[in-house]
Amino acid sequence: MASVKFDNVYLDSHFVIGGPKEKNGKLDNFDLTIDDYYYESKTVEQAEVNMQKTVINNLLSKKNYQDTDIDYLIGGDLLNQICATSYSARNFAIPFIGVYAACATFPLSLFHGANLIESGNAHNIICLTSSHSLSAERQYRYPIEYGNTKPNTATCTATGAVGVILTNQKTKIKIKSATVGKVIDMGIKDVNHMGAVMAPACADTIYNHLKNMNKTPSEYDVILSGDLGKVGVSILKEYYEKVYNQKLLNVIDAGSSIYLDSQNMYAGGSGPVCLPMVLVCKILQNPKYHRVLIVGTGSLHTPVLLNQSETIPSVAHAVEIEVLS
Amino acid sequence: MGIISEGLINLYMMIFGYSRVDSMSVACLTVILITSMLTAFGVFDNLVEKGKCGLIIPTTGFAHSMASATIDYKKDGFIKGIGSNAFKLAGSAILYGVVAAFFFCILGVVING
Amino acid sequence: MIYLYAFLFSGFVCMLGQIILDNTKLTAGHITTALTIIGAFLSFIGVYPWLVNHVGGGATTLIMNFGHLLYQGAAEGYKSAGLIGIFSGMLTKSSIAITSAIVFSFILSLFFNPKD
């Protein structure tokens, strides 16, 4: 079965870094914001590594932990060979598990962390992810300065890094369950329409989670999707109603919640950092959200196969979080 | 879009001090120089968002693609970075332009004997 | 008068490109390559030189002009040196565009970093 229940997994600390555009957007409560895409580094890729290193350092110092107090470091990012995460992990003596699920990396790392803690095989785990607008642009699309025109359905990669500590010590934020999604390919080749690519996978995972946990959508205060974008969210609601005959009324899309309309970010933000950024900066800060379902949506495409006229597969992973009062 | 092209033509006519053929060349050079510099200053990509095809189709598009590629890959070194990637975007136009001109020329030879 | 025609012609071609960009899956790279080939073709059938005379800068600033210059260079090379002339003459007329683009891009890359 794809869903697992947890009794003994809690979220302890978090650290959020936001980039220049995110700082001026809708969110507050960043632990740190950076003004410059290069963040004291020579290249944008090294800047992403630096962001992750800063997150881990701050998480450790928040709890006065040494490297040896953390059992595993689980994380991933968008770059080739998840290099931002690997290269930041080399600074720490923590056993490293690299995971990749594109923009669904964060819930996937929570899934692995929660399983290790629940089984008693770990006490403290750091889960982290990052994305950087310019490094993603270089890798997936065009040179940074190139004036590439995008249609209104396209999303822009967000810049930031987020890390959390999972623990078996009781805190106010409990990880209750998680569902791993199947890879769904709807036969779409258009990279500028990620909402359409990922919405069916998102719907499939939400439906399976609710079915396995025996719940209805209204039993959650909010369902937070990763980065479907404004267009993708409406596709998700339509698709869900059509295919599963249920309405999803309480969906908030993380990607659409980061930027102001005046920042001209097309259909919203994308990247693995969107979901945890909005979770930490908005959802966990708001006392009205107690039962939260986060669904990361990842598009598993690669430029190589895309150029060979392949279609884009997508996956979504869900994690149920309860904020105890 | 059309306004942008009119600006370019004004430039061409301005340098009319030389002969017509020469002034065309100098105008072309100036356009490429200005485009490359605006790309380097980080301004051109914002202009393309507004002007879209109006800036991509003229020679400005060609110069912009080359300038942006070389600036972006500079950190990868001279050979592996700039050397391998300079023509990443513009290469397609040059390659097929040459190939097409070649075939048309051969065709012309065959037809005209 | 030539100003008006230049404006109209280049505006027309750019508009055509914009329509294709918005409504098909073709990228800017596809469109510029296609226009270069079309330029070479129009040069081949003798239309492009006529365009340059009547529309002036409107025709010379477009990427179609690049294809036109390639063809003209090759054709003149053939006239003066036969088949080999096609190869030796091809890039002569477009040299100014290619060389300046290479040289300026390189020099500028030495001093500038990519920003957003």
Side-chain angles (χ1 to χ4, degrees):
Chain A
M1 219 193 24
S3 305
V4 182
K5 280 206 185 109
F6 305 111
D7 275 320
N8 211 16
V9 185
Y10 299 90
L11 202 143
D12 192 329
S13 320
H14 50 73
F15 195 82
V16 187
I17 299 184
K21 287 218 168 87
E22 291 70 26
K23 187 172 86 156
N24 295 323
K26 288 188 195 164
L27 298 175
D28 296 308
N29 302 310
F30 290 105
D31 290 294
L32 176 69
T33 55
I34 56 176
D35 285 311
D36 160 33
Y37 281 111
Y38 281 89
Y39 193 36
E40 299 156 19
S41 312
K42 278 201 233 150
T43 67
V44 292
E45 287 81 10
Q46 288 172 15
E48 196 172 340
V49 174
N50 204 8
M51 282 200 293
Q52 286 209 10
K53 204 170 86 171
T54 307
V55 168
I56 302 175
N57 273 322
N58 275 290
L59 280 176
L60 292 174
S61 63
K62 257 194 186 184
K63 300 285 294 177
N64 255 325
Y65 280 158
Q66 301 295 317
D67 292 2
T68 44
D69 292 309
I70 306 285
D71 297 298
Y72 295 95
L73 171 62
I74 310 180
D77 58 80
L78 283 180
L79 299 180
N80 282 332
Q81 296 90 39
I82 44 170
C83 59
T85 318
S86 319
Y87 277 68
S88 68
R90 71 177 168 176
N91 295 297
F92 303 95
I94 310 174
F96 171 61
I97 301 177
V99 290
Y100 182 77
C103 309
T105 297
F106 185 69
L108 182 63
S109 58
L110 288 182
F111 172 79
H112 288 299
N115 269 308
L116 284 165
I117 291 183
E118 183 77 7
S119 59
N121 286 317
H123 301 291
N124 294 306
I125 293 185
I126 291 184
C127 293
L128 92 159
T129 185
S130 69
S131 54
H132 191 302
S133 147
L134 300 187
S135 66
E137 183 78 18
R138 272 191 84 196
Q139 181 171 296
Y140 287 97
R141 298 177 205 113
Y142 295 101
I144 297 170
E145 286 301 334
Y146 187 68
N148 182 31
T149 53
K150 289 195 226 193
N152 286 323
T153 52
T155 50
C156 304
T157 311
T159 304
V162 180
V164 301
I165 297 185
L166 291 182
T167 177
N168 57 0
Q169 306 292 318
K170 204 160 189 287
T171 67
K172 268 178 51 175
I173 307 172
K174 188 167 182 202
I175 310 285
K176 295 203 74 180
S177 62
T179 301
V180 175
K182 303 190 285 292
V183 177
I184 309 255
D185 189 332
M186 298 297 283
I188 301 178
K189 292 188 195 176
D190 188 2
V191 284
N192 287 318
H193 213 344
M194 288 302 189
V197 171
M198 301 190 293
C202 189
D204 183 73
T205 302
I206 294 178
Y207 178 72
N208 281 316
H209 180 87
L210 295 173
K211 190 176 76 166
N212 292 333
M213 296 288 123
N214 221 350
K215 289 202 158 133
T216 61
S218 54
E219 285 181 60
Y220 290 104
D221 296 315
V222 64
I223 299 179
L224 184 69
S225 66
D227 51 356
L228 293 174
K230 300 193 190 100
V231 177
V233 160
S234 48
I235 297 178
L236 171 70
K237 290 184 184 166
E238 233 179 271
Y239 183 89
Y240 203 87
E241 198 174 336
K242 211 163 119 178
V243 176
Y244 303 112
N245 260 324
Q246 266 182 331
K247 278 199 202 278
L248 291 176
L249 294 167
N250 41 0
V251 179
I252 296 182
D253 182 60
S256 314
S257 312
I258 301 180
Y259 303 110
L260 302 164
D261 283 332
S262 57
Q263 288 180 296
N264 203 17
M265 298 297 268
Y266 299 94
S270 68
V273 80
C274 284
L275 181 64
M277 191 186 264
V278 173
L279 174 69
V280 171
C281 291
K282 183 171 159 168
I283 307 291
L284 293 180
Q285 306 286 340
N286 195 329
K288 78 175 183 197
Y289 298 121
H290 289 284
R291 302 157 305 172
V292 179
L293 182 67
I294 61 171
V295 191
T297 51
S299 137
L300 301 172
H301 77 290
T302 165
V304 175
L305 285 176
L306 209 63
N307 285 333
Q308 294 171 12
S309 287
E310 269 285 4
T311 52
I312 306 176
S314 150
V315 74
H317 302 304
V319 174
E320 180 182 347
I321 301 176
E322 184 167 333
V323 183
L324 311 157
S325 22
Chain B
M1 325 174 286
I3 305 170
I4 314 264
S5 45
E6 178 154 47
L8 297 172
I9 295 128
N10 277 319
L11 187 73
Y12 147 61
M13 293 303 218
M14 208 163 54
I15 313 178
F16 218 98
Y18 305 90
S19 77
R20 192 169 168 102
V21 172
D22 282 346
S23 63
M24 287 207 302
S25 311
V26 178
C28 189
L29 196 102
T30 325
V31 164
I32 293 179
L33 178 62
I34 295 179
T35 312
S36 307
M37 292 190 70
L38 288 179
T39 309
F41 291 142
V43 170
F44 205 80
D45 54 350
N46 298 326
L47 291 175
V48 171
E49 248 182 274
K50 309 253 170 58
K52 303 220 179 143
C53 260
L55 285 173
I56 297 177
I57 289 184
T59 323
T60 50
F62 174 69
H64 174 60
S65 68
M66 281 211 60
S68 61
T70 50
I71 291 172
D72 203 54
Y73 285 98
K74 144 174 133 174
K75 289 283 159 53
D76 287 4
F78 284 116
I79 304 292
K80 279 192 275 185
I82 301 181
S84 337
N85 291 298
F87 283 97
K88 205 165 190 216
L89 300 161
S92 182
I94 298 180
L95 178 81
Y96 289 108
V98 171
V99 168
F102 177 77
F103 278 119
F104 288 134
C105 227
I106 298 289
L107 201 63
V109 170
V110 164
I111 294 177
N112 296 321
Chain C
M1 223 36 211
I2 203 171
Y3 276 98
L4 181 67
Y5 290 142
F7 176 79
L8 288 173
F9 181 72
S10 48
F12 172 70
V13 176
C14 289
M15 187 182 71
L16 212 64
Q18 189 66 53
I19 294 175
I20 298 177
L21 194 70
D22 283 339
N23 291 315
T24 68
K25 292 274 151 63
L26 296 176
T27 64
H30 287 113
I31 298 176
T32 45
T33 308
L35 284 177
T36 314
I37 299 177
I38 292 175
F41 177 69
L42 290 179
S43 195
F44 170 61
I45 59 176
V47 168
Y48 215 86
W50 178 89
L51 271 177
V52 174
N53 278 329
H54 283 80
V55 171
T60 60
T61 45
L62 301 175
I63 200 74
M64 297 203 304
N65 188 52
F66 186 66
H68 161 68
L69 290 177
L70 287 174
Y71 176 78
Q72 290 295 322
E76 273 177 31
Y78 177 71
K79 282 202 198 90
S80 58
L83 222 50
I84 280 292
I86 299 180
F87 290 94
S88 57
M90 172 86 71
L91 292 174
T92 54
K93 297 205 163 206
S94 40
S95 175
I96 197 169
I98 301 180
T99 312
S100 58
I102 295 176
V103 171
F104 294 143
S105 305
F106 180 73
I107 294 178
L108 286 168
S109 75
L110 295 174
F111 300 112
F112 288 89
N113 280 322
K115 294 160 224 104
D116 177 21

